[in-house]
Amino acid sequence: MDHIVIIGFESAGITAASAARTTNRDVKITAVERQPYAIYHPCAIPSAIEGTIKDMGDLIEPAPKMPNVEVRTSTEATGINPDDQTVELKTDGGTEELEYDSLIISTGSNAIKPPITGRDLDGVHVLKTIEDGQAIINEIGKAENAVVVGGGCIGIEAAAALNERGLNVSIVEMLPSLLPGLLDSDMVKTVGERLEDMGIKVYRGTRVEEILGDDRVKSVSIGEEELPAELVILAVGVEPEVELAKNAGIEIGETGGIKTDQHTCTSIDEIYAAGDCAESFSPITNQPILSQFATTAIRMGKVAGTNAAGGSASYLGSLNTAVTWAYGLEIAATGVTTKAAEEAGFQPVSARTRVSSKPHYYPGAKPITTKITVEPEQHKIIGGQIIGTEGASERANLLALAIQKETTIEELAKSDYCYSPPINDCIGPLVVTAETLIRKLR
Amino acid sequence: MDHIVIIGFESAGITAASAARTTNRDVKITAVERQPYAIYHPCAIPSAIEGTIKDMGDLIEPAPKMPNVEVRTSTEATGINPDDQTVELKTDGGTEELEYDSLIISTGSNAIKPPITGRDLDGVHVLKTIEDGQAIINEIGKAENAVVVGGGCIGIEAAAALNERGLNVSIVEMLPSLLPGLLDSDMVKTVGERLEDMGIKVYRGTRVEEILGDDRVKSVSIGEEELPAELVILAVGVEPEVELAKNAGIEIGETGGIKTDQHTCTSIDEIYAAGDCAESFSPITNQPILSQFATTAIRMGKVAGTNAAGGSASYLGSLNTAVTWAYGLEIAATGVTTKAAEEAGFQPVSARTRVSSKPHYYPGAKPITTKITVEPEQHKIIGGQIIGTEGASERANLLALAIQKETTIEELAKSDYCYSPPINDCIGPLVVTAETLIRKLR
């Protein structure tokens, strides 16, 4: 083991480098990144649009110094040759060949640009890179109306951000409810109501027919209605960047991501994949999934880096634990939604409660809505969804650990916890929901 | 099973009644409570002293209506006769005998009034009941200086509350550090510093020699120094109220609480005990402990009520998960401290980290300090301590579940979690601490 090459140096790549470094102090590591900067924080771009983060430059960082790790930015990998274990590079100066003993593919993903007429008009943007974010910010002053196509996390965060900047904003979601991969339809109601209360128009089950305008976008047609828009954000998701892998003969999974086993190995020896470009699996359904979150990239990258450097690590799978926000609401979830559970053949049983975050007599108590889902045989927790003004994310993390450790709802109801009136109530939302679910299961 | 009698109707008693009701719809339940009100919230009294809760009356509630549950307030149980299964009562009207099939003792605890000369002077208070709290509030306007004896949760909360009300406050703690049962000395530093920054004088390893004054307290002597004080709060802890149980021949454990087994049964058949009056056990050390928290009372009460009503429940033990607060700091812990672990024969290994609660580039990021402790063989988590401005309590709860489910530090490091820059960082404090601890264990 002399040389590890990492293609793509974002969350997965950098964590892989760090884990490889920890595993094997002697191996040389080269990371190539086609962007001119090493690290950026895409998840914070909505905060920059909103104005909370003042300078988009704050979201770009130099690569952390790690001994014997060379990070080559503005360097694109153009080919992988598994037979002679080389990677072809296109650099500013020309082309180059790099030999590897282990290769980690962490090429990430690209924003999907859906095939809608008018998608190339000026004023129509996807939202993934720093450049996308900056382009949107540059147009805020010029636009009065914005349409966000897609009501997932990024879509909602972007819509709320633009609304906070004074624009009239509409969200157009093709599916019948917002945040479809994250929340059940009964849970997402609160979110939709909050967005609408704040003045965002939400169109559900609505398809964008056409984006209209001459050079610049003027409106978005959704069939019956035409929504004025000088700014359009296409936030319909990301697709794994797998061209390099596919061309090298590496197997692509049914989800469109690079197929990996539990060691993050691809179909070709000594080639690993991690992050948005890689297919992961759900430990609940045991089915392959795409889990395109920074946290998944970090968790997979750690495994890939360890194994690429000669260590031994296995990946526990992805629970898609995620949190998003809008107007002070924290919206968090982990595990499978009811729909996903049913599709996987479970007969899930859920309970939903709405309690006060603090004791009812305490000033500033706010509601927190919690839903927990179990499978009906052993009552193991398989999903959790929480919406509140604070503490939703940490409660989702607790439920993620509960799923990982195959915790039953009865065990959760018996769990120890802390209480102090200024902070929380003497029986918290997770225990209340667990008790409710247990009664339902009787 | 015809009749369950519950003595004491606070956290343990009310939860026991509710669990018994759920377990057996037909059994008649009588709860007797010597106080004139059914429910009050002692943990919120410091918030009332502080002024956040305006009216102490807000902390008193009527008993919740449960079918076939009679709650008799202002009624004191004066004796238990296990042979003929009766309880003697003293009521407003005289005495009375109540037959039981199952009995639950949830008599709670009393504030310890340490044997210090001057403890009966006017202006010297313990802090446990609504009446204690009201008496302290009544004196706030008349006092300039206050001394709080005891630097545990209640002591610190009371001291901060009085300080917020404009008094000069000193805390005198006998042991070398504050919050001795909750935090290791390295962790508690932050708390001491915050108190001192806010103007509270903290005396550690200091014994109160005497409380001085004629009728009213004037000062507190701590040896070399004499601290002026028109108000003194004795917050040195509570002791289980076990007189009734002891007189009935029920075994008292080595901790001074009523001895219970894992079904919360006492040494006498059909008599259960739960809450502050009962001895519990640590599932980490398997040793008997007193765990005098409302949450323990609730968790034990649930077991006692279920079993008393003919159901079957077992208690998982107490992790002493607790949270306290001062000046916007949340201070939370679960499991054993390093000292307690060592005393129990472990050779604990810990890691402590201080990271930012949000990404460093995000406005409003605040530090959060985390310590996790494991046993060295299997690396199972046995303790956690967290101090931060938000999210400490929920993280402690997560670690409590981790302990309950015998989670190793390696499993915690691999756990799934959520991330969004306005809420948290892409690698949170628990994972950072877990990684640090894993490196230490190598």
Side-chain angles (χ1 to χ4, degrees), chain A residues 64 147 174 183 237 276 328 334 340-341 381 392 409 419:
Chain A
V147 169
M174 202 173 64
L183 296 184
D276 279 10
T334 187
I381 298 168
I409 196 71
Y419 155 60

Side-chain angles (χ1 to χ4, degrees), chain A residues 47 61 299 302 314 319 321 325 360 362 394-395 397 404-405 411 414-416 418 420 422 435, chain B residues 47 61 299 302 314 319 321 325 360 362 394-395 397 404-405 411 414-416 418 420 422 435:
Chain A
S47 298
E61 289 184 50
R299 294 171 66 244
K302 212 186 281 183
S314 55
L319 296 175
T321 312
W325 51 278
H360 61 89
Y362 208 90
E394 292 310 323
R395 288 181 172 99
N397 291 350
Q404 177 185 340
K405 291 294 291 178
E411 288 174 320
K414 284 186 159 192
S415 64
D416 205 358
C418 58
S420 184
E435 298 278 13
Chain B
S47 299
E61 288 184 52
R299 294 170 66 243
K302 211 185 283 182
S314 55
L319 296 173
T321 311
W325 51 278
H360 61 90
Y362 207 90
E394 291 310 322
R395 289 182 173 99
N397 290 352
Q404 177 185 339
K405 292 293 292 178
E411 288 174 320
K414 283 186 162 193
S415 65
D416 204 359
C418 59
S420 183
E435 298 277 13

